[in-house]
């Protein structure tokens, strides 16, 4: 999982200053300050590459990111702008933290709506203590809460998004793929439809990495998507099971016991799944070791719900990126219900 943070622009603070409460304004001010701080700290990648003080590891990773950045525009038709031509060395392991929440007996997210990005199922914070404070506030109000670490994000082209030091620890494919993914958001974005946006950008990321590797004389990426898909389907099934449970007519005490039992059964089944389906792959052990609740399930499915539909659309576009992007844009302009119907038709 790699949730993105859509940053609200400073101008939004000015536009809504007379329309929102102090807590909301305080949040917008925090996000604007965090974005401004990154802009102030960024350095051109070319400058960092030629700086004798730059560690060799950083130099190698930035050289690769520069190659991927050029490939994104030249070969994939993604925006040719200054995004990912700057570098920021962070003083922390993550650039931000997302706070997810649901009611205690619901799998529906607590959503947050912003003037530019639309409605999303989380709030992002550049400071961990503020994310923790918001999480504590939501828990005190009775919600299920989860925090997600954010290594990279997109401002949808409003600013020149930088390469962050938190991105340099990834392997080559993940680093290049993230650049393709975030630039895809800049190419096209639909307000209030996270599953559409993330599935589309994830397809561009995956197909872009395949073409990127082919251009470098490398074989296709080793396919471990099956494990991810299998685990995601298990989580989505758990979410559906909980949704049915919460619709049952029972008191809060009985509901709480049934909820706890459902999560415990899921934990137990995981060990068998890891041994038999994932063949010992332990990539989800860290996630499973954390406390599980409704909110921890929210990010799953956002990135791949419609990815096979976009793969089909790419094939119908004769694998031509300009044709594909034009069809994505046309699809995104349709009303939500019609858009969903067409995506479903692409899956057949």
């Amino acid at each position: 999982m790699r949730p993105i943070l859509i940053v609200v622009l400073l101008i939004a603070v000015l536009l809504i200053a007379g329309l929102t409460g102090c807590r909301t304004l305080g949040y917008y001010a925090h996000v604007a300050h965090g974005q401004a701080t990154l802009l102030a700290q960024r350095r051109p990648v070319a400058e960092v590459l030629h700086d004798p003080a730059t560690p060799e590891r950083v130099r190698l990773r930035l050289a690769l990111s520069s190659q991927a950045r050029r490939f994104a525009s030249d070969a994939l038709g993604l925006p040719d702008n200054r995004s990912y031509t700057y570098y920021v060395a962070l003083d922390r392991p993550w650039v931000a933290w997302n706070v997810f929440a649901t009611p205690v007996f619901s799998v529906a997210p607590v959503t947050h709506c912003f003037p530019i990005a639309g409605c999303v199922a989380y709030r992002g914070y550049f400071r961990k203590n503020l994310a923790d404070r918001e999480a504590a506030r939501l828990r005190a109000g009775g919600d299920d809460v989860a925090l997600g670490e954010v290594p990279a994000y997109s401002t949808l082209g409003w600013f020149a998004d930088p390469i962050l030091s938190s991105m340099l620890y990834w392997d080559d494919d993940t680093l290049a793929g993230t650049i393709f993914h975030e630039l895809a958001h800049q190419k096209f974005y639909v307000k209030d439809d996270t599953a559409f946006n993330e599935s589309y950008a994830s397809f561009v990321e995956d197909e872009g990495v395949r073409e990127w590797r082919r251009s470098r004389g490398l074989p296709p990426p080793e396919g471990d998507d099956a494990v991810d898909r299998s685990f995601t389907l298990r989580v989505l099934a758990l979410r559906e099971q909980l949704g049915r449970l919460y619709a049952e007519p029972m008191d809060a005490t009985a509901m709480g016991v049934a909820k706890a039992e459902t999560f415990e059964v899921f934990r137990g089944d995981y060990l068998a799944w890891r041994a038999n389906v994932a063949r010992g792959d332990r990539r989800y052990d860290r996630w499973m070791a954390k406390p599980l609740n409704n909110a921890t399930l929210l990010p799953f499915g956002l990135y791949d719900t419609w990815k096979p539909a976009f793969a089909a659309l790419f094939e119908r576009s004769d694998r031509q990126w300009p044709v594909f992007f034009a069809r994505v844009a046309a699809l995104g302009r349709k009303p939500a219900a019609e858009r969903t119907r067409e995506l479903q038709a692409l899956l057949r």
Side-chain angles (χ1 to χ4, degrees):
M1 290 181 304
R2 179 173 42 77
I4 63 168
L5 170 70
I6 302 299
V7 175
V8 179
L9 307 181
L10 177 58
I11 192 171
V13 180
L14 303 176
L15 290 173
I16 63 172
L19 303 177
T20 57
C22 293
R23 195 175 74 82
T24 301
L25 283 177
Y27 171 72
Y28 284 151
H30 158 71
V31 172
H33 178 265
Q35 176 65 28
T37 300
L38 289 180
L39 293 176
Q41 293 175 342
R42 68 185 183 179
R43 297 174 61 194
V45 167
E47 175 184 305
V48 178
L49 286 173
H50 291 92
D51 187 341
T54 300
E56 185 63 15
R57 182 191 67 82
V58 173
R59 193 189 317 277
L60 291 173
R61 304 310 288 153
L62 288 180
L64 182 88
S65 75
S66 294
Q67 295 167 18
R69 178 65 189 86
R70 178 45 48 197
F71 182 86
S73 296
D74 290 350
L76 306 181
L78 293 170
D80 189 2
N81 54 30
R82 294 184 302 154
S83 287
Y84 307 109
T85 65
Y86 292 93
Y87 174 66
V88 173
L90 299 170
D91 59 358
R92 54 192 186 272
W94 310 103
V95 66
W97 291 261
N98 284 337
V99 180
F100 299 87
T102 71
V104 67
F105 295 133
S106 173
V107 291
V110 175
T111 57
H112 308 275
C113 298
F114 304 110
I116 294 167
C119 297
V120 294
Y122 54 83
R123 254 189 171 187
Y125 292 85
F126 284 103
R127 287 168 47 190
K128 178 67 160 48
N129 66 317
L130 293 183
D132 289 338
R133 185 188 303 173
E134 175 66 5
R137 185 188 70 81
L138 291 165
R139 288 192 191 98
D143 288 337
D144 277 8
V145 180
L147 263 68
E149 297 151 340
V150 181
Y153 68 89
S154 172
T155 60
L156 304 181
W158 286 88
F159 296 107
D161 298 325
I163 296 288
L164 303 167
S165 55
S166 54
M167 300 167 62
L168 299 187
Y169 296 97
W170 297 334
D171 60 41
D172 291 1
D173 287 355
T174 305
L175 177 57
T178 297
I179 293 171
F180 304 156
H181 183 108
E182 306 301 355
L183 286 173
H185 283 306
Q186 294 188 18
K187 183 81 173 183
F188 192 74
Y189 181 87
V190 179
K191 288 183 68 172
D192 305 330
D193 196 337
T194 301
F196 179 96
N197 293 323
E198 294 304 336
S199 297
Y200 146 71
S202 293
F203 167 75
V204 174
E205 173 182 351
D206 290 352
E207 182 60 30
V209 166
R210 279 189 283 271
E211 295 190 14
W212 157 251
R213 290 180 65 89
R214 188 162 57 245
S215 75
R216 301 169 72 206
L218 298 174
E222 295 184 6
D224 57 7
D225 284 353
V227 172
D228 287 331
R229 282 197 301 271
S230 176
F231 188 78
T232 296
L233 288 174
R234 286 175 51 78
V235 174
L236 295 179
L238 171 63
R239 198 157 66 195
E240 290 182 5
Q241 182 182 358
L242 288 167
R244 292 192 298 270
L245 170 65
Y246 299 147
E248 293 290 327
M250 62 178 73
D251 62 43
T253 300
M255 186 78 77
V257 171
K259 173 184 177 181
E261 290 177 347
T262 302
F263 276 109
E264 282 308 306
V265 169
F266 180 79
R267 284 187 184 280
D269 290 347
Y270 171 74
L271 299 178
W273 174 87
R274 187 182 68 188
N276 300 320
V277 178
R279 299 183 179 181
D281 193 313
R282 307 177 71 94
R283 75 184 69 179
Y284 287 104
D285 281 9
R286 179 171 175 260
W287 186 83
M288 289 295 298
K290 296 179 180 180
L292 298 182
N293 59 40
N294 301 329
T296 60
L297 312 181
L298 288 177
F300 286 89
L302 292 178
Y303 287 81
D304 51 18
T305 300
W306 300 117
K307 195 158 67 170
F310 285 108
L313 186 62
F314 188 64
E315 293 298 330
R316 294 187 185 188
S317 303
D318 295 325
R319 303 183 62 83
Q320 299 298 310
W321 287 107
V323 178
F324 171 75
F325 287 128
R327 291 183 174 179
V328 169
L331 188 57
R333 287 192 292 268
K334 295 180 182 294
E338 184 178 350
R339 184 164 63 239
T340 298
R341 284 195 299 271
E342 293 203 19
L343 288 168
Q344 291 171 335
L346 285 166
L347 295 177
R348 301 188 188 115

